[in-house]
Amino acid sequence: MKPVKLSFWGIAIVLTGLCLAAEPPFSVPYEFLVLRALLINYSGIIAIGMMSVAMILAVRPVFFEPFLGGLDKMYRLHKWLGIGALLMASTHWLLTQAPQWLVGLGLMARPARHGAPAPGEGVQQFFQSQRGLAEGIGEWAFYATALLIVLALLKRFPYRHFFKTHRLLAVAYLFLVFHSVVLMKFSYWREAVGPVLAGLLMAGSAAALGILCSRVGQSRRAVAVIDEISRHQDIHVLEVAILLKGRWRGHQAGQFAFVTFDAQEGPHPFTITSVWNGDGRLRFAIKALGDYTQTLPATLKVGDPVKVEGPYGQFNFIGNKPRQIWIAGGIGITPFVARMKKLARQPDGKIVDLFYSTARADDEIISRLRRDAQAAKVTLHVLKGGDTPLTVERITRVVPKWQSSDIWFCGPSGFGHDLRRDFRARRLPAEDFHQELFELR
């Protein structure tokens, strides 16, 4: 998560520095209305800047994946930037409303009305003529943005509705771009903050238009049909094999794809459990974790059309340690299945221990795991529901040379958080703990 934190704070610090360079606080009189105007400009720039980067990340630009650690981390940054933009936009709105509230409460004398600003020329004159419109549009776009972000953060808000409503943020964003361009202090356009913000607004607007035109991931899409379905009812897992009918660029073990079984529901991310053989076949293991995935066993059938977008992810098992420890919780076993199939064909010489913790065990799946592990020369440790919980103490006892290993974890986020914390307490370098994030909202 370190690259995500560095990126978030780096964006905030750079934009703050540009604002301070454009209008240093010590260069203005220390009066309430003057400082308020300064803070309105600052909060507005930070809010629209963060929202612009979040909009760019929403179109899934894969060239950011290596730096951020995968699309799952990219979406975490997207989420943080959305929250940061909402907080700064709320501050911006409160600052604009504060004087009239204070006057209404009798805590502040009504500010003297100043004459109209001196007429500008060309673009500046046009901006001045549009201020009233921009203020009204900005206020209503803020209300819409706040509502849509809050809905996106509510996990109980159904994904099928989230998929549709979240796209409306692109519309609100375009209105906020107009608001920002017109109302930003005109002298700022001649400072460094001007061209930087202009670049962000143009890139963000292009991304917003791409979202509205359904162009996200267009170059990475393929159509397919369901070729095979296997149900494991005891553990609520559905295996689906699909046959691609379009071009696929191939994938690495550990990567995932967005799969659309139902256009009304939209795409969902699922890890690819098969290795790429060039034969057009992909396999997914889907756990019934929510309303939508619980319905799939009853609704999917062989021959149904499917849309696939990908591959994505940096859960690639690349490390410089001679050993690796893999830890899987529940359906988090899927990337390790693909990796074992790959190692069976192309060994990499690393010593690997795989710990698989599952509340419910399926004999057929466990038997297949053992065969895959044997073929890949991976040492498999299975912990079933009634066993002692998997802890760092247990792992380090089973693997005495754990310090010469890097850790690869995929499973429930709380489980991963505890393991990361306890490994860090034993001085495992942060960069040696690799975690796939289940949550993309």
Side-chain angles (χ1 to χ4, degrees), residues 390-437:
L390 182 60
T391 62
V392 167
E393 182 180 358
R394 184 169 185 173
I395 293 170
T396 55
R397 186 171 63 250
V398 173
V399 186
K401 297 182 179 180
W402 67 271
Q403 290 176 316
S404 61
S405 308
D406 48 8
I407 315 297
W408 294 82
F409 171 83
C410 187
S413 57
F415 184 21
H417 176 270
D418 291 344
L419 290 174
R420 178 188 291 271
R421 179 199 61 208
D422 293 345
F423 269 119
R424 292 286 291 122
R426 293 174 181 253
R427 299 189 178 182
L428 177 79
E431 60 272 16
D432 286 344
F433 190 97
H434 310 270
Q435 181 176 358
E436 184 84 333
L437 301 177

Side-chain angles (χ1 to χ4, degrees), residues 44-96:
I45 289 172
I46 300 298
I48 195 65
M50 285 186 168
M51 196 171 180
S52 295
V53 179
M55 194 61 60
I56 295 167
L57 296 179
V59 299
R60 303 197 268 270
V62 292
F63 46 86
F64 286 139
E65 278 201 284
F67 172 70
L68 291 172
L71 187 64
D72 53 332
K73 313 301 189 302
M74 194 186 304
Y75 269 100
R76 183 59 56 88
L77 176 58
H78 169 84
K79 177 180 177 179
W80 287 3
L81 287 169
I83 294 171
L86 177 59
L87 292 175
M88 294 307 297
S90 298
T91 302
H92 181 79
W93 177 79
L94 288 170
L95 286 167
T96 62

Side-chain angles (χ1 to χ4, degrees), residues 24-44:
F26 54 78
S27 67
V28 300
Y30 282 83
E31 300 174 1
F32 172 74
L33 292 179
V34 175
L35 291 176
R36 166 181 167 270
L38 185 68
L39 290 173
I40 285 175
N41 285 322
Y42 168 73
S43 58

Side-chain angles (χ1 to χ4, degrees), residues 276-287:
W276 179 242
N277 297 318
D279 59 357
R281 289 177 61 87
L282 300 178
R283 183 176 289 272
F284 302 91
I286 303 169
K287 177 78 170 180

Side-chain angles (χ1 to χ4, degrees), residues 351-366:
I351 302 171
V352 179
D353 284 86
L354 168 58
F355 293 84
Y356 176 42
S357 178
T358 177
R360 297 181 179 181
D362 181 279
D363 291 339
E364 179 187 350
I365 289 181
I366 296 298

Side-chain angles (χ1 to χ4, degrees), residues 337-376:
V337 171
R339 181 59 176 172
M340 286 192 293
K341 293 183 182 298
K342 180 70 173 180
L343 288 177
R345 300 178 182 183
Q346 298 179 355
D348 63 0
K350 294 183 184 294
I351 302 171
V352 179
D353 284 86
L354 168 58
F355 293 84
Y356 176 42
S357 178
T358 177
R360 297 181 179 181
D362 181 279
D363 291 339
E364 179 187 350
I365 289 181
I366 296 298
S367 178
R368 282 161 47 184
L369 279 177
R370 295 193 188 282
R371 290 197 300 270
D372 287 340
Q374 184 177 11

Side-chain angles (χ1 to χ4, degrees), residues 208-222:
L209 292 172
I211 291 170
L212 293 173
C213 295
S214 299
R215 301 289 295 177
V216 176
Q218 180 71 31
S219 64
R220 307 177 76 84
R221 294 181 193 171

